[in-house]
Amino acid sequence: MAHEVVRRVEQYGPKLAELAAGNEELGRLSDETVGLLRSAGVLRLLQDRKFGGYAAHPRDFAEAVMAVSRHDGAAGWVCGVVGVHPWEVAQMDPRLSQEIWGADPETWIASPYMPNGIAEPVDDGYVLSGRWPFSSGTDHCDWVFLGALVGDGKGRPASPPTVLHVVLPRSSYEIIEDSWDVIGLSGTGSKDVVVDGAFIPDYRTVNQDEVSAGEAAERHGVTEPLYRLPFTSMFPLGITSAVIGICQGALDAHLALQRDRVAVTGVQIRDDPYVLYAAGEAAAEIAASRVQLLDGISRIYDKVAAGEPVTIEDRSTVRRNQVRCAWRAVSALDEIFTRSGGNVIRRDNPLQRHWRDAHVGLAHMIHVPGAAYHANSVAGMGLELPPPLRVMI
């Protein structure tokens, strides 16, 4: 069952933590880390059962991502991003899933979804060109999801703009090896990918609006509630789960450090009420972030399972809370980081890596609060969201 995945992650936890510094230095996940993730089954939690996946509740997926991130933020981030892609494939033409997993159901799929390319319509498909940064885990993936704007036949986006999610095999894109030099989440190996005139058949594409509204699955007769959830609830789930897990790992490291630490005043930190107060408060804030994130996706899932409509207000509320969960957890991490003592800045201290990874994770566009909070307030008034506010809602 899905909970067995979390149990295996905890079993592998010490080894994942041991490998984390090496992944950062390598600039991608090591083959050994990837082997542990495959053995645990994290990236198969949302995969269709037809190919040996768990088709698990998204709450179980989020808990597994948090569990990995607690030990290695980069590994958890890759699980949170790459682990969502099987969920989307299950909503598309069955020919695609057979192509990807027919020979090897363990095959991974990268992304990103930002519409950085132009897909020019041709007979039976599109011709795509563009360059996309931030392809997390891409070295270990054999396919990729990319966002693309439908072209007007002249190399420009058509008007009004239409965004597609398109899927390409490894032979159709290039990974730019020297494109990932960053201060945090280095181990994710989120390199640029380039496509130069690749043909994509229609069945390997899906309209972003249909996925965002949870409508894509219906076109292919997929009825499970899992695959009818909104993309804008599911994709942020994996990333925010990684950030919360990183913050929990930082708290673990902080408490381990404080157990025997002595301040310059000669006072043992375990007897310092101010440091312990901050740690207790941070623990409560990180726990609250975890609970609220899981509650949001569970509420959306329950509505879909009951056949009830998921409204724009529902979706915007989940997004608002998801953003707040990330900010709350990282703010808690900041409070304990500043109380961890001077040795926290040393590179052999895992807490500094958690701190850097968490802040880089917070910089992802799905954690930008302005538009998400604005949209939720407008939706709460019963007003229609203008197009700029509907992005990622």
Side-chain angles (χ1 to χ4, degrees):
M1 299 298 291
H3 289 295
E4 277 293 299
V5 173
V6 175
R7 186 192 64 78
R8 287 194 291 270
V9 168
E10 294 302 344
Q11 177 186 340
Y12 302 149
K15 188 61 179 178
L16 288 168
E18 178 186 324
L19 295 168
N23 292 335
E24 179 170 60
E25 185 175 351
L26 188 63
R28 63 173 176 83
L29 297 185
S30 66
D31 292 344
E32 189 172 2
T33 294
V34 168
L36 292 172
L37 299 179
R38 290 187 186 278
S39 180
V42 181
L43 284 91
R44 304 192 70 184
L45 279 167
L46 301 180
Q47 187 179 21
D48 194 328
R49 290 189 181 91
K50 296 174 185 175
F51 296 94
Y54 290 89
H57 194 293
R59 178 186 59 241
D60 296 326
F61 170 67
E63 289 181 333
V65 171
M66 290 181 200
V68 174
S69 304
R70 188 172 184 172
H71 302 290
D72 179 0
W77 184 273
V78 170
C79 288
V81 174
V82 178
V84 169
H85 300 149
W87 167 84
E88 186 167 358
V89 169
Q91 303 172 56
M92 298 174 67
D93 191 301
R95 286 176 288 180
L96 176 61
S97 52
Q98 185 61 42
E99 276 186 314
I100 296 173
W101 294 314
D104 182 6
E106 291 278 1
T107 298
W108 288 7
I109 311 159
S111 50
Y113 290 102
M114 65 183 70
N116 273 28
I118 301 295
E120 292 288 3
V122 295
D123 289 344
D124 301 319
Y126 300 87
V127 172
L128 178 71
S129 294
R131 179 166 178 156
W132 292 257
F134 307 118
S135 184
S136 297
T138 197
D139 289 294
H140 301 284
C141 298
D142 295 313
W143 290 74
V144 68
F145 264 106
L146 297 172
L149 290 163
V150 174
D152 65 355
K154 301 178 182 179
R156 298 186 299 265
S159 183
T162 298
V163 179
L164 300 176
H165 293 175
V166 303
V167 187
L168 291 80
R170 182 68 184 82
S171 58
S172 296
Y173 61 94
E174 177 188 1
I175 298 172
I176 307 302
E177 289 298 332
D178 62 352
S179 57
W180 188 241
D181 183 12
V182 292
I183 63 168
L185 293 175
S186 179
T188 64
S190 301
K191 302 171 183 176
D192 292 12
V193 297
V194 173
V195 178
D196 184 13
F199 172 71
I200 307 166
D202 281 324
Y203 70 86
R204 291 190 198 151
T205 72
V206 65
N207 185 290
Q208 178 174 273
D209 289 342
E210 291 185 3
V211 182
S212 294
E215 298 170 352
E218 185 177 352
R219 291 200 295 118
H220 297 291
V222 178
T223 59
E224 293 95 329
L226 170 64
Y227 301 118
R228 292 188 288 120
L229 294 168
F231 174 83
T232 49
S233 300
M234 286 295 292
F235 180 67
L237 176 69
I239 293 176
T240 304
S241 295
V243 169
I244 293 171
I246 291 167
C247 293
Q248 182 63 53
L251 178 63
D252 295 343
H254 172 78
L255 293 174
L257 183 66
Q258 304 317 307
R259 181 186 297 272
D260 298 314
R261 179 178 155 227
V262 178
V264 293
T265 59
V267 174
Q268 284 197 311
I269 297 301
R270 69 177 72 175
D271 297 323
D272 185 327
Y274 305 108
V275 173
L276 299 185
Y277 178 96
E281 184 175 55
E285 290 296 281
I286 295 167
S289 294
R290 175 184 179 278
V291 169
Q292 189 173 38
L293 186 70
L294 298 178
D295 175 75
I297 198 63
S298 296
R299 286 177 181 271
I300 290 285
Y301 182 95
D302 289 347
K303 291 199 76 169
V304 171
E308 299 175 7
V310 176
T311 66
I312 286 291
E313 184 174 4
D314 292 331
R315 286 159 51 180
S316 71
T317 297
V318 168
R319 278 282 286 127
R320 178 202 69 195
N321 290 348
Q322 165 258 316
V323 171
R324 185 61 197 146
C325 288
W327 280 83
R328 181 192 298 115
V330 176
S331 295
L333 168 53
D334 285 343
E335 289 297 317
I336 57 175
F337 184 83
T338 57
R339 291 169 171 83
S340 292
N343 285 320
V344 75
I345 65 173
R346 299 187 186 278
R347 286 198 176 271
D348 62 356
N349 189 319
L351 181 48
Q352 54 79 28
R353 186 176 60 254
H354 287 298
W355 184 77
R356 288 184 290 107
D357 287 350
H359 278 275
V360 170
L362 194 63
H364 192 285
M365 61 86 61
I366 66 149
H367 291 139
V368 176
Y373 291 176
H374 184 173
N376 183 245
S377 295
V378 172
M381 295 175 186
L383 303 174
E384 185 173 350
L385 296 186
L389 287 184
R390 296 181 72 94
V391 177
M392 283 306 296
I393 295 295

